[in-house]
Each structure stands twice: as C-alpha cells, then as structure tokens.
C-alpha cells in the first residue's frame, strides 16, 4: 500500500494544480518522553516525542493516512475530533465504540477523506485520560484557489490550550475511581504546552508569539484541556471571530473568547498597537460550585524590534464565574449562511429527543472515602457501560449481546430538573444506543440537571455537525421555548456547552451510517458514564452504506 500512496503523493506535489485532492501520509509514533513543567519532571505519553503533538495539515477533499504505531504500555486509539468520517467510522477512533484500541507493539492506519470541511479541528487519544498529553491540531485549508470568506491574514498560528498535572494523569483518575470522589484538579493550564511563569516556578518560560506592526494574524485556537472551559484574551488587542469547529461564522469583534474542551475557534488579530510585549491569558470559566484549577496560563505577543527586557503589558482575566461574558460570546455566534456556505438547518423533524445530562450517586462498597458510594454521570439516567467489543464491529458483523437499541428518547423519570433533586439519585447501567434511519432528522434537547450540582457540560457528537438552534436557563419548556428557535443562521458545531442549570437545543441530519459516540467532553464526566451512541442504519443509495473495515483493523 505504501508504494502507491507515495506515487500519488509525489504526483500531487509535482502537479498541484492538476490534482484537485491529495493523499497525505503521516506517521504517529506513540512514545514516552520525559518532560519538565512547573519545575518538576515526569514521563508522559506523546506522539513523536512532542507536547502538544504534531499538526496535521490537509486541504478539503484530501485523503489522510495516519499510521499510528504504539510503543507504550497503554492500549491506545486516536480520534480525529470533528472530522465527519463519512462512511469511514472505522477511522473515527473512540476505543470500544468504533474500534478496539491499538495494543502495545501494534499499529493501525487511520484512512479517511475530508469531505466538505475546512478549518481548524483537533486530534487526541480517545481512551483513559491519555488525551491530556496525546493531542494536536488538524488544519484543513480550503481547496486550492478557494479564498477565505474574510480578509486573508498575513500569517497563521496554531494555539493549543491544555492542562498539566505534576502527577501521572492515569494515577489521578485511578485514585478518584478507587475513592468514588472527584479527581484532583490540574496544577496548571498551558498555552502550546507551556504554563508561563507562576509564583512557585518563576523561571519557566512561556510561549511567545512574534508579530510585526501592521500585519494581521489568524490564531487557530484549540481547547485540548481535559476538564475545563477556558477564557482567552490578549492585552490591548481585539479579536475578530471568523470560525468555530471548522465552520465559518458571521465575523464579530470581542476581547474575550470562551472555548470548551474539544472546541476550536479561529480569530483574526491585528498587530495595530504600539510596539511592545502583550500578555496572552487562558483562564478557567466555572459558574457552578465546582473546584477548578484557578491558575491562569500566560504567553506573550511580542512585536518585532521590542527589547527582551521590556515590561509586558498585562491583562486581567475575567472572573472565574463570569457568566455574562460567556453568554455574550455564545450569543454572538451565527453561521455565515452565505450562498457558498449555507446553513442547511433541518426544517422538519423525524425524531424529537429530550436528554437529561448530569450526575448521580451509585452504591460502591469498596469506596471508603465516598462512604460506600461513588459519583457517576448519566444521560437520561443511563450510566453508559463500555463494552469489550467495539460497537461498530458488533453492528457490522451482527454480533449479539454487545449492546441494546433501547436507549430512552425521553427521561424515564420526570422531575424538576434544575430544582429540588429527586430523593433517589441512583442511575441505571447499560450499553444502550439510539437507532436512527439513514437521512432522518433529529431535534435534541440537552437539559442539565441540578443533581449534586448544576454544571456546564460540553457535549460532543461524533460523525456529525449540528446546529445550535436555542438555549436557555432553567427547565426547557416545549410549548414556549421553540418560538425563539433560530432556524435561519444558527451556529454549526460539533461540541456544544449545555449551560449550568439550563438547556440547549440542537438539530442534525443522520446522513452518515455507522455508530457515533456522543459524550461530555469533560473527561471526568465521560469516565463516570455521561455518554451514549447513535446507531445510524445504511441508506438505500450507492454511497449510503458503511464501508467494510480495513484489513489492519485492531483486534480486541
């Protein structure tokens, strides 16, 4: 296979104008790397020894081949977050959903075509908590000769936001699961892998973004943090938002971005201030009584010609609970909805679903710290149990006993979701999926519950983009709230924040056959069971069926 790939790649590079799409080949060696942050060192799992990992570059319509070779002691899989994976669910990556993980010493080639997408996405490990260090950017350029629908920047820079623990992250989550309690929060946030100087480690440097007066830069922002939504701002500079989750939006100016784990945002920033050094800040957003890592990560926007010993112009991050700033940003997002990039919002609905998302408490006799109980999470009161055979494999090969198709379309118990919780906080366990006919349309209300605590849940749907047609606080009202839905130019995303003590409404068309994971992108909630899957049947047309699995598909 490699020889023809190389020939195609060679032709595409020699004759880029003649070849409309290319085959791009990458090799990801998953290796341990001793890494120092916060004045202490630990071995971390990386791709090619890099943290963050390498950026994957492509153009719309390109085919991507990524050979992932696992040299570490963890089983591992990689998810290409936001890539539609039309008919190629085998390459989506979530362990035990679309594939069994790549075992130590084994390899797997992720083979997929980027169809009808351009912009910034991300890749990350999709098993255990390994994505804390196993992640990187996916940059999809428009087709050759197709301009951006906004002024072309002079340069582009990938900016990956993350979290750092001094401890091994697998120890952090294992200790939490053993105790039944919440895990320790991270020790720092990072900007392109660096926290910047902090009080107990002032000597460590931060990321520097060099700029020239009069030039405009596009920052491709990615939140690769495990558990925290982040504010992002640059001292003295306005940011023009032009894209989120690899979909163009109506441009708007702001000084503060809100970005949840799994989300991406492209912003234009003009180097139009007087020469100097300007602080770049990433700080947490949490408007619920939940403990977070309250350290701000810092980097520097550095104008050329500015002396190294020049003082940095500072910015004050928003308060941690700055809900109005968060809402103002979210409410400003609208699809570009141009002739070339229309917002194809489903106007009629085949499935009207209502999912509660939140926490619960289940018995755990061995959880001494939790007094015989453990915190869990659920959708419609179902705490998802991971199978040992991949769901997609079970579906394609008709293997019985792996999952059931009775995931509830509505909460099994109706209660005041954002008010007084029910007396029984237990959830049910199950490996359940919700079945959809090919090309059917779905409206899904995601309702936060106040059980244990109301909390913002960034929900990610694999295999699809969806339109965020409405949101509100309190309990969703099916009679009055739909009157305010935006069915014209709602923002199109793959990851959406369900507000603490509130709800969001999304719509999508099930035009991608396969099994598609939907889960909270706060890693602790995914670990606790806030996840489910949609099974989309094949259509009747020639390109409406799931392709067969590749020959190197990992064995369980």
């Amino acid at each position: 296979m490699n020889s023809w790939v190389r020939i195609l790649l060679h032709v595409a590079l020699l004759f880029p104008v003649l070849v409309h799409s290319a085959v791009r080949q990458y090799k990801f060696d998953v290796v341990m790397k001793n890494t120092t942050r916060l004045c202490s060192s630990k071995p971390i799992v990386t791709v090619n020894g890099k943290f963050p990992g390498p950026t994957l570059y492509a153009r719309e319509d390109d085919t991507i081949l990524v050979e992932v070779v696992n040299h570490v002691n963890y089983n591992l899989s990689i998810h290409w977050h936001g890539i539609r994976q039309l008919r190629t669910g085998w390459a989506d990556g979530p362990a035990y959903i679309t594939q069994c993980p790549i075992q130590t010493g084994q390899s797997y080639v992720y083979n997929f075509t980027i169809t009808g997408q351009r912009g910034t996405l991300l890749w990350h490990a999709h098993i255990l908590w390994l994505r804390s260090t196993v992640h990187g950017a996916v940059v999809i350029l428009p087709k050759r000769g197709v301009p951006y629908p906004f002024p072309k920047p002079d340069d582009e820079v990938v900016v990956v936001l993350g979290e750092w623990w001094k401890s091994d992250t697998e120890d952090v989550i294992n200790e939490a699961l053993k105790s039944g309690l919440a895990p320790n929060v991270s020790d720092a946030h990072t900007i392109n892998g660096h926290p910047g100087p902090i009080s107990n480690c002032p000597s460590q440097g931060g990321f520097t973004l060099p700029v020239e007066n009069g030039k405009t830069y596009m920052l491709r922002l990615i939140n690769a943090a495990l558990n925290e939504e982040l504010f992002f701002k640059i001292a003295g500079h306005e940011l023009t938002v032009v894209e989120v989750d690899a979909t163009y939006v109506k441009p708007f100016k702001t000084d503060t971005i809100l970005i949840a784990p799994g989300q991406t945002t492209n912003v234009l920033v003009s180097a139009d201030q007087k020469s100097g050094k300007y602080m770049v800040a990433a700080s947490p957003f949490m408007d619920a009584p939940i403990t977070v890592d309250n350290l701000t990560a810092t980097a520097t926007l550095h104008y050329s010609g500015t002396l190294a010993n020049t003082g940095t112009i500072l910015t004050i991050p928003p308060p941690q609970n700055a809900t109005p700033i968060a809402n103002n940003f979210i409410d400003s997002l609208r699809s570009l909805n141009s002739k070339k990039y229309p917002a194809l919002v489903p106007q009629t609905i085949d499935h009207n679903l209502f999912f509660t998302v939140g926490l619960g408490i289940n018995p755990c006799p061995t959880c001494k710290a939790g007094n015989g109980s453990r915190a869990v999470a659920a959708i419609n009161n179902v705490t998802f149990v991971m199978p040992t055979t991949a769901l997609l494999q079970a579906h394609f090969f008709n293997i019985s006993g792996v999952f059931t198709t009775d995931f509830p379309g509505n909460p099994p118990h109706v209660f005041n979701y954002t008010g007084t919780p029910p007396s029984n906080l237990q959830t049910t366990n199950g490996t359940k999926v919700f079945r959809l006919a090919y090309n059917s349309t779905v409206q899904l209300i995601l309702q936060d519950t106040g059980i244990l605590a109301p909390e913002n849940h960034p929900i990610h749907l694999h295999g699809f983009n969806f339109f965020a047609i409405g949101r509100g606080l309190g309990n969703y009202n099916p009679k009055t709230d739909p009157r305010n839905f935006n069915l014209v130019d709602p923002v199109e995303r793959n990851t959406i924040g369900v507000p603490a003590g509130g709800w969001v409404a999304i719509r999508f068309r099930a035009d991608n056959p396969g099994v598609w994971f939907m889960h909270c992108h706060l890693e602790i909630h995914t670990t606790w069971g806030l996840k489910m899957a949609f099974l989309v049947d094949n259509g009747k047309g020639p390109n409406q069926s799931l392709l067969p699995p590749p020959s190197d598909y990992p064995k369980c």
Side-chain angles (χ1 to χ4, degrees):
M1 184 184 73
N2 282 355
S3 57
W4 68 259
V5 168
R6 286 201 187 93
I7 291 165
L8 273 176
L9 200 54
H10 194 60
V11 170
L13 292 171
L14 282 176
F15 305 107
V17 179
L18 300 179
V19 181
H20 291 295
S21 56
V23 176
R24 297 183 189 261
Q25 197 173 20
Y26 287 87
K27 187 174 185 195
F28 279 15
D29 282 301
V30 181
V31 294
M32 301 303 293
K33 179 81 190 289
N34 222 34
T35 307
T36 302
R37 296 290 185 276
L38 306 179
C39 295
S40 72
S41 299
K42 66 171 183 175
I44 62 170
V45 183
T46 68
V47 166
N48 300 350
K50 294 183 163 70
F51 169 69
T55 297
L56 192 153
Y57 287 94
R59 286 193 184 276
E60 181 181 346
D61 287 348
D62 283 354
T63 293
I64 309 296
L65 295 168
V66 187
E67 184 187 8
V68 178
V69 186
N70 185 3
H71 303 279
V72 301
N73 289 330
Y74 297 104
N75 292 345
L76 180 124
S77 66
I78 303 282
H79 170 50
W80 317 94
H81 183 118
I83 299 283
R84 288 288 317 270
Q85 299 290 0
L86 290 164
R87 305 176 64 213
T88 54
W90 312 104
D92 190 40
Y96 301 108
I97 306 299
T98 59
Q99 68 167 95
C100 286
I102 305 161
Q103 296 181 15
T104 304
Q106 301 295 308
S107 66
Y108 179 43
V109 176
Y110 289 91
N111 181 348
F112 54 90
T113 299
I114 298 167
T115 306
Q117 292 184 275
R118 79 295 305 161
T120 307
L121 294 169
L122 67 152
W123 59 265
H124 59 76
H126 211 304
I127 187 169
L128 307 172
W129 275 30
L130 296 181
R131 77 173 178 86
S132 65
T133 56
V134 181
H135 61 249
V138 177
V139 171
I140 310 164
L141 300 170
K143 292 179 199 177
R144 201 171 287 282
V146 176
Y148 293 131
F150 48 82
K152 187 176 190 292
D154 296 295
D155 205 357
E156 302 182 5
V157 182
V158 169
V159 179
V160 181
L161 310 178
E163 286 182 273
W164 183 266
W165 278 259
K166 285 185 176 181
S167 307
D168 184 304
T169 45
E170 294 311 309
D171 292 345
V172 171
I173 182 55
N174 289 339
E175 185 55 42
L177 290 174
K178 191 174 154 191
S179 71
L181 303 176
N184 291 337
V185 298
S186 56
D187 296 297
H189 297 107
T190 57
I191 299 175
N192 279 349
H194 297 279
I198 59 170
S199 56
N200 58 3
C201 185
S203 61
Q204 72 181 354
F207 172 69
T208 296
L209 173 59
V211 298
E212 291 181 37
N213 263 102
K215 290 195 171 178
T216 298
Y217 298 82
M218 183 158 75
L219 307 186
R220 295 177 177 269
L221 301 174
I222 295 167
N223 186 347
L226 281 193
N227 294 315
E228 297 189 358
E229 297 193 72
L230 296 168
F231 289 121
F232 177 89
K233 63 190 297 194
I234 302 175
H237 291 73
E238 269 195 324
L239 307 170
T240 302
V241 180
V242 293
E243 177 204 299
V244 296
D245 291 5
T247 65
Y248 294 131
V249 297
K250 291 183 173 73
F252 67 94
K253 288 183 162 57
T254 180
D255 66 354
T256 306
I257 302 297
L258 175 69
I259 186 165
Q263 291 183 335
T264 63
T265 306
N266 283 8
V267 299
L268 301 177
V269 57
S270 293
D272 55 6
Q273 300 299 303
K274 69 175 194 289
S275 287
K277 288 161 48 178
Y278 294 81
M279 180 197 277
V280 180
S283 62
F285 167 57
M286 173 57 76
D287 58 354
I290 307 280
T291 305
V292 293
D293 168 3
N294 62 6
L295 276 180
T296 297
T298 58
T300 307
L301 188 81
H302 190 127
Y303 279 75
S304 64
T306 304
L307 297 175
N309 61 359
T310 304
T312 302
I313 296 164
L314 305 180
T315 184
I316 299 171
Q320 184 179 299
N321 62 350
T323 311
I325 292 175
N327 286 343
N328 184 51
F329 178 79
I330 293 164
D331 292 341
S332 300
L333 294 168
R334 292 277 185 278
S335 280
L336 187 58
N337 194 29
S338 65
K339 195 171 177 184
K340 188 169 175 60
Y341 304 104
L344 302 174
V345 187
Q347 299 295 314
T348 57
I349 297 304
D350 298 315
H351 297 275
N352 201 348
L353 305 178
F354 185 96
F355 288 3
T356 57
V357 292
L359 307 182
I361 298 176
N362 282 355
C364 173
T366 61
C367 297
K368 291 190 174 62
N371 290 328
S373 297
R374 74 156 67 251
V376 294
I379 302 177
N380 273 354
N381 211 49
V382 179
T383 295
F384 190 86
V385 177
M386 292 299 269
T388 52
T389 299
L391 298 184
L392 189 62
Q393 191 179 4
H395 164 58
F396 188 84
F397 293 106
N398 290 317
I399 303 167
S400 61
V402 177
F403 64 85
T404 57
T405 55
D406 58 345
F407 189 89
N410 287 282
H413 310 291
V414 176
F415 61 99
N416 179 3
Y417 305 117
T418 56
T420 308
S423 53
N424 181 3
L425 303 183
Q426 274 187 239
T427 65
T428 58
N429 293 327
T431 309
K432 299 172 185 286
V433 304
F434 193 95
R435 192 165 212 143
L436 298 169
Y438 180 83
N439 219 32
S440 59
T441 54
V442 179
Q443 177 173 290
L444 171 57
I445 310 300
L446 293 162
Q447 171 75 59
D448 182 36
T449 73
I451 294 175
L452 296 189
E455 193 173 345
N456 194 318
H457 298 279
I459 300 294
H460 173 47
L461 175 60
H462 291 226
F464 302 95
N465 280 350
F466 51 75
F467 292 95
I469 58 172
R471 68 194 293 268
L473 287 178
N475 297 339
Y476 172 71
N477 185 323
K479 290 193 173 64
T480 58
D481 285 326
R483 294 174 199 158
N484 299 317
F485 284 174
N486 175 5
L487 301 180
V488 178
D489 63 350
V491 68
E492 187 180 350
R493 307 208 71 140
N494 62 57
T495 305
I496 186 88
V498 180
W503 56 271
V504 294
I506 66 172
R507 286 188 182 183
F508 67 96
R509 182 177 293 278
D511 58 358
N512 194 4
V515 178
W516 304 106
F517 208 20
M518 189 178 81
H519 60 96
C520 183
H521 222 273
L522 303 180
E523 208 59 31
I524 182 55
H525 290 171
T526 299
T527 304
W528 282 347
L530 207 162
K531 46 195 171 184
M532 58 80 68
F534 288 103
L535 189 162
V536 179
D537 286 317
N538 286 338
K540 294 184 170 62
N543 294 315
Q544 297 177 354
S545 295
L546 178 65
L547 295 167
S551 57
D552 63 341
Y553 185 64
K555 307 270 188 300
C556 286

